[in-house]
């Protein structure tokens, strides 16, 4: 007499119900190879699967473990208890599937972190921002493909013959899995935007200055997240809901509609203010520099010559260094001297010429024959002008940040009013 086993009993029940190994595997969230090994008695199902398998074939767990049906007594009360237990096991399976997907998704985030590390090392150590961008981009491409593959593997197939409340539970879990994929993709886009300055602004053999990269990278990343949120809220979410890739209750749909209306209202109020602030700040940055330039004006050539030579002396010897006549003689021998002529071509003065110490010299030959007064913008004065301009624009960017935070607070406060 052939020995009764769980595997052979599963094979008999499966065939009696007209199911393939793949169909049974999909219901149990395992592979068809796993079912095949059960039926060949190479191994047995995990204990937490026993009540689920029994429920699928309408038997008890005891019958499945014995390898035969029990026809000696009424099974009505037993089946009722078995159904309650199998429901718990069913929810446990769904939770296990979702938890596995979240764990695998952490690998994607780890890959993104590695991409950022590789990009930083390449830019800072090997002074190649472009190489860093390409290494980060490679990690991003791997993440996108990996995330899609694990999502397709972890999604739970819906059997339309399943009871309604179980179908609803499956759709809820599939929705969570799909949303995690979207969140990972949005984070991936933000990382790509953060790396983008390395590919755009990198200087050959020197890399990109860390402060510049982080400033522009952060701006690009925040912009990418903002655009992703808008596209998701007003397009992707609706499309996925129509395709039944996402499942929402009526309450969730109403809350989402309310959220979108508040978001639009927030953008209209704070968006216009932010655009005005941004435009003013960009105007200050691009056109205000002349206002901060301090020119030195001279009415005599003697004053002009003394000032120009003082700039050179300060550059070479420092302000606290006592300069001797011998050092001045050496300077005149080693450095170029510029001769200034009046409107008639007569030489009126000469001075030590070092273009590194001044930015601009303006003679007034258009209005006077001797070219006086003379205006000079030193390099130090120009640097101070840049500092003043950047300080003003920094306050502008801080104001933009305050307006963004204000918009977020306004949105949150209005969402709390939802009932």
């Amino acid at each position: 007499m052939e020995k009764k086993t769980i595997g052979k009993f599963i094979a008999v029940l499966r065939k009696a119900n007209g199911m393939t190994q793949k169909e049974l595997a999909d219901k149990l969230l395992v592979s068809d190879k796993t079912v095949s090994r059960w039926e060949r008695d190479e191994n047995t199902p995990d204990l937490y699967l026993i009540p689920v398998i029994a429920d699928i074939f309408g038997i008890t767990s005891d019958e499945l473990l014995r390898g035969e049906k029990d026809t000696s007594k009424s099974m009505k009360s037993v089946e009722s208890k078995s159904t309650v237990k199998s429901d718990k096991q069913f929810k446990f399976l769904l939770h296990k599937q979702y938890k596995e997907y979240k764990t695998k998704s952490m690998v994607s985030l780890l890959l993104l972190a590695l991409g950022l590390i590789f990009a930083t090392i390449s830019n800072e150590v090997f002074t190649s921002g472009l190489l860093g961008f390409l290494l980060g981009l490679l990690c991003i491409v791997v993440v996108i493909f990996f995330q899609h593959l694990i999502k397709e593997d972890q999604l739970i197939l819906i059997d339309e013959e399943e009871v309604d409340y179980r179908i609803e539970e499956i759709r809820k879990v599939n929705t969570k899995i799909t949303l995690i994929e979207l969140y990972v993709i949005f984070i991936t886009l933000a990382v790509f935007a953060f790396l983008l300055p390395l590919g755009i602004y990198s200087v050959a053999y020197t890399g990109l200055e860390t402060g510049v990269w982080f400033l522009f990278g952060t701006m690009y990343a925040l912009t990418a997240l903002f655009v992703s949120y808008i596209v998701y809220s007003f397009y992707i979410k609706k499309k996925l809901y129509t395709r039944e890739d996402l499942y929402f209750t009526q309450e969730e749909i109403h809350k989402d509609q309310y959220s979108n209306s508040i978001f639009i209202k927030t953008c209209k109020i704070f968006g216009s203010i932010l655009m005005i602030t941004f435009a003013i700040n960009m105007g200050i940055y691009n056109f205000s520099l002349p206002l901060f330039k301090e020119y030195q004006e001279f009415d005599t050539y003697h004053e002009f010559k003394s000032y120009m030579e003082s700039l050179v002396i300060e550059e070479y010897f420092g302000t606290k260094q006592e300069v001797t006549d011998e050092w001045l003689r050496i300077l005149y021998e080693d450095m170029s001297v510029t001769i200034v002529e009046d409107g008639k071509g007569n030489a009126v003065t000469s001075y030590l010429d070092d273009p590194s110490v001044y930015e601009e010299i303006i003679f007034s030959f258009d209005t006077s024959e001797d070219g006086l007064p003379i205006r000079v913008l030193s390099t130090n004065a120009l640097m101070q002008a840049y500092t003043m301009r950047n300080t003003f624009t920094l306050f502008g960017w801080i104001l933009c940040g305050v307006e963004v935070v204000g918009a977020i607070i306004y949105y949150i406060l209005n969402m709390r009013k939802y009932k």
Side-chain angles (χ1 to χ4, degrees), residues 74-254:
S74 173
M75 302 298 298
K76 187 174 182 179
S77 61
V78 177
E79 288 177 355
S80 177
K81 294 179 181 179
S82 177
T83 300
V84 173
K85 188 174 182 181
S86 64
D87 282 342
K88 292 182 179 179
Q89 295 295 332
F90 175 77
K91 290 181 179 180
F92 172 78
L93 279 175
L94 294 182
H95 177 71
K96 178 174 176 288
Q97 190 83 344
Y98 173 62
K99 193 173 181 180
E100 285 180 359
Y101 181 73
K102 283 205 304 183
T103 303
K104 292 178 180 178
S105 296
M106 294 301 295
V107 177
S108 296
L109 298 180
L110 178 61
L111 286 173
L112 290 177
L114 287 176
L116 289 173
I117 293 173
F118 292 155
T120 302
I121 293 175
S122 177
N123 184 66
E124 299 296 325
V125 179
F126 300 105
T127 64
S128 177
L130 182 58
L131 176 61
F133 171 74
L134 294 176
L135 290 173
L137 184 62
L138 177 62
C139 290
I140 287 172
V141 172
V142 172
V143 165
I144 292 175
F145 278 101
F146 174 75
Q147 195 67 30
H148 180 72
L149 286 176
I150 62 172
K151 180 232 179 179
E152 293 299 317
D153 182 61
Q154 298 294 131
L155 275 180
I156 305 167
L157 297 179
I158 298 177
D159 185 354
E160 298 300 334
E161 296 181 359
E162 192 69 81
V163 291
D164 290 342
Y165 70 89
R166 287 194 174 183
I167 292 177
E168 183 177 348
E169 290 295 327
I170 292 174
R171 285 177 174 169
K172 287 180 179 178
V173 173
N174 283 345
T175 295
K176 291 180 180 178
I177 291 174
T178 302
L179 288 177
I180 288 180
E181 182 194 32
L182 289 173
Y183 297 153
V184 172
I185 290 176
F186 292 156
I187 294 173
T188 303
L189 291 175
V191 171
F192 172 77
F194 183 77
L195 294 173
L196 200 56
L198 292 179
I200 298 177
Y201 305 117
S202 286
V203 180
Y205 309 115
T206 61
L208 185 63
E209 186 181 344
T210 303
V212 175
W213 172 24
F214 276 57
L215 174 63
F216 283 95
T218 302
M219 290 174 57
Y220 291 173
L222 292 176
T223 302
L225 288 175
F226 181 72
V227 173
S228 298
Y229 176 79
I230 293 177
V231 174
Y232 166 72
S233 298
F234 295 94
Y235 177 72
I236 295 178
K237 185 186 290 186
K238 293 180 180 179
K239 187 172 182 179
L240 292 178
Y241 180 77
T242 303
R243 289 168 44 184
E244 296 187 349
D245 290 333
L246 294 179
Y247 173 79
F248 300 109
T249 63
Q250 286 299 316
E251 175 64 20
E252 290 172 331
I253 292 174
H254 291 156

Side-chain angles (χ1 to χ4, degrees), residues 4-19:
K4 298 175 182 178
T5 65
I6 296 177
K8 289 184 172 58
F9 193 34
I10 290 176
V12 171
L13 293 171
R14 176 180 61 77
K15 293 174 183 177
N17 283 268
M19 296 173 61

Side-chain angles (χ1 to χ4, degrees), residues 40-59:
R40 294 198 305 270
D41 290 325
E42 293 180 4
N43 56 23
T44 58
D46 293 331
L47 288 177
Y48 71 86
L49 287 174
I50 296 298
V52 183
I53 298 172
D55 181 62
I56 291 174
F57 295 125
I59 60 176

Side-chain angles (χ1 to χ4, degrees), residues 297-308:
E297 188 170 303
F298 306 98
D299 295 322
T300 67
Y301 281 112
H302 177 72
E303 293 175 348
F304 167 67
K305 180 179 180 179
S306 299
Y307 178 74
M308 294 300 293

Side-chain angles (χ1 to χ4, degrees), residues 284-393:
I284 293 174
Y285 184 83
N286 290 310
F287 304 110
S288 68
L289 188 62
L291 300 176
F292 301 108
K293 291 180 179 179
E294 277 193 38
Y295 286 86
Q296 295 291 328
E297 188 170 303
F298 306 98
D299 295 322
T300 67
Y301 281 112
H302 177 72
E303 293 175 348
F304 167 67
K305 180 179 180 179
S306 299
Y307 178 74
M308 294 300 293
E309 291 181 351
S310 69
L311 291 179
V312 177
I313 291 171
E314 183 178 342
E315 175 71 15
Y316 282 83
F317 299 107
T319 55
K320 296 182 180 180
Q321 179 69 46
E322 183 179 351
V323 182
T324 65
D325 293 338
E326 179 64 20
W327 285 356
L328 287 176
R329 185 184 63 78
I330 294 174
L331 277 178
Y332 270 94
E333 288 178 354
D334 294 344
M335 295 185 60
S336 62
V337 176
T338 296
I339 299 175
V340 181
E341 299 177 345
D342 60 15
K344 297 179 180 180
N346 301 316
V348 290
T349 191
S350 63
Y351 61 91
L352 287 177
D353 191 1
D354 183 0
S356 67
V357 299
Y358 66 87
E359 183 67 23
E360 189 177 14
I361 300 176
I362 302 175
F363 294 92
S364 302
F365 285 115
D366 293 338
T367 57
S368 65
E369 189 174 310
D370 57 5
L372 297 172
I374 305 171
R375 301 172 67 214
V376 180
L377 177 65
S378 68
T379 301
N380 287 336
L382 180 63
M383 291 300 101
Q384 291 176 3
Y386 277 121
T387 301
M388 292 293 293
R389 189 274 308 272
N390 293 341
T391 301
F392 272 87
T393 53

